[in-house]
């Protein structure tokens, strides 16, 4: 966890790289709203096309808000395809997001729709924190509306002492050094808490059997709660 430019809580290996999985939706939201593909929290409404999906909540029409809340993969993939690789890479470079590698799975030319899903794009917890610090400080040269709408769709709840929680989970598979997906689960929960002008950013990642984003989120909120005054 980081506050006013200083790390105030750190555990484990924060330099290890992992796929961002659905925690990348924070970056995708900024891209979508800045490019004008996304309009506000309820528009555009993109229809579910009947493709097989792993979760019932994904098998329905989605708005930007439900896309984030339901962590819907296909909505992300429509967004990146509408954006195109050149613009997609431009934003990832601007955000200095992890290793910035959008090549996707080796030999499959699927980076536009798969690079952040246990594939080529990798990021460390410390890099997540740097990215989030720049988001909160609005340092990227993108529209005010992109920041505003992203903040809106990321809002989760108000914690004790009136701290507002913004964040996104991510779930996927750990990879070997050659990029091969393993059977080891990973889970992310990243975001920030804000009260007035005070902000603390955080990035939590876990790995192991049964680990996923919601589990990491629950543990992270417990730890965050203990740090609040």
């Amino acid at each position: 966890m980081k506050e006013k430019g200083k790390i105030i809580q750190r555990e484990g290996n924060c330099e290890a790289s992992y796929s961002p999985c659905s925690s990348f939706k924070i970056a995708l939201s900024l891209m979508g709203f800045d490019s004008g593909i996304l309009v506000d929290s309820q528009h555009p409404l993109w229809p579910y096309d009947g493709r097989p999906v792993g979760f019932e909540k994904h098998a329905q029409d989605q708005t930007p808000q439900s896309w984030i809340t339901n962590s819907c993969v296909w909505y992300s993939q429509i967004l990146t395809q509408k954006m195109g690789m050149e613009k997609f890479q431009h934003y990832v470079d601007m955000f200095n997001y992890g290793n910035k590698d959008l090549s996707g799975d080796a030999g499959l030319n699927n980076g536009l729709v798969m690079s952040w899903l246990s594939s080529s794009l990798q990021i460390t917890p410390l890099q997540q924190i740097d990215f989030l610090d720049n988001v909160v400080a609005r340092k990227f040269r993108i529209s005010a509306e992109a920041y505003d709408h992203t903040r809106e769709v990321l809002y989760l709840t108000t914690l004790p002492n009136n701290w507002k929680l913004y964040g996104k989970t991510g779930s996927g598979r750990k990879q070997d050094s050659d990029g091969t997906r393993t059977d080891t689960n990973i889970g992310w929960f990243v975001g920030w808490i804000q009260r007035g002008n005070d902000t603390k950013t955080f990035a939590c990642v876990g790995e192991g059997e049964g680990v996923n984003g919601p589990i990491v989120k629950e543990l992270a909120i417990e730890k965050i709660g203990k740090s609040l005054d």
Side-chain angles (χ1 to χ4, degrees):
M1 181 177 286
K2 191 173 181 182
E3 179 183 26
K4 297 178 180 177
K6 296 178 63 176
I7 298 289
I8 58 174
Q9 186 174 348
R10 174 172 173 166
E11 296 179 12
N13 183 5
C14 296
E15 287 87 12
S17 292
Y18 299 89
S19 168
C21 304
S22 284
S23 72
F24 188 56
K25 285 184 172 68
I26 297 178
L28 287 174
S29 176
L30 293 170
M31 298 177 199
F33 285 117
D34 184 65
S35 64
I37 298 170
L38 305 183
V39 179
D40 57 35
S41 65
Q42 300 304 313
H43 301 91
L45 175 70
W46 287 340
Y48 170 58
D49 65 2
R51 73 182 71 185
V53 290
F55 301 97
E56 184 177 350
K57 61 188 177 182
H58 295 177
Q60 60 190 34
D61 300 349
Q62 303 284 343
T63 65
Q65 182 64 73
S66 68
W67 162 56
I68 295 294
T69 300
N70 297 332
S71 204
C72 181
V73 173
W74 63 257
Y75 197 100
S76 301
Q77 294 171 328
I78 291 175
L79 172 60
T80 55
Q81 289 175 93
K82 286 180 176 292
M83 199 181 311
M85 181 56 82
E86 183 177 357
K87 185 173 287 188
F88 188 25
Q89 187 72 64
H90 165 75
Y91 281 118
V92 169
D93 291 343
M94 183 203 302
F95 297 162
N96 194 30
Y97 195 93
N99 67 357
K100 298 175 282 190
D101 185 351
L102 300 181
S103 60
D105 299 327
L108 295 183
N109 192 31
N110 63 1
L112 190 58
V113 295
M114 287 295 295
S115 56
W116 67 94
L117 299 171
S118 300
S119 187
S120 59
L121 187 61
Q122 300 278 306
I123 193 166
T124 71
L126 289 178
Q127 289 171 328
Q128 289 266 30
I129 288 283
D130 287 342
F131 166 68
L132 293 165
D133 284 346
N134 287 328
V135 173
V136 169
R138 301 192 171 206
K139 289 187 176 180
F140 300 125
R141 299 184 71 175
I142 58 177
S143 67
E145 290 79 12
Y147 288 115
D148 291 343
H149 291 312
T150 296
R151 183 176 182 271
E152 179 184 1
V153 297
L154 290 176
Y155 173 73
L156 293 171
T157 190
T158 299
L159 300 173
N161 299 315
N162 205 35
W163 285 94
K164 296 186 183 300
L165 174 66
Y166 303 85
K168 185 69 193 74
T169 56
S171 303
R173 298 284 188 175
K174 189 178 180 181
Q175 293 152 268
D176 288 331
S177 57
D178 64 358
T180 302
R181 296 180 184 91
T182 72
D183 291 332
T184 301
N185 296 331
I186 64 169
W188 283 100
F189 183 53
V190 307
W192 66 92
I193 55 173
Q194 190 166 14
R195 183 178 65 183
N197 293 324
D198 293 332
T199 303
K200 301 178 183 183
T201 52
F202 61 86
C204 305
V205 65
E207 61 177 84
E209 184 177 356
V211 172
N212 59 29
I215 288 174
V216 173
K217 175 184 174 182
E218 183 178 345
L219 295 172
I221 290 176
E222 181 180 348
K223 287 180 177 291
I224 290 168
K226 292 177 181 179
S227 74
L228 302 181
D229 55 19

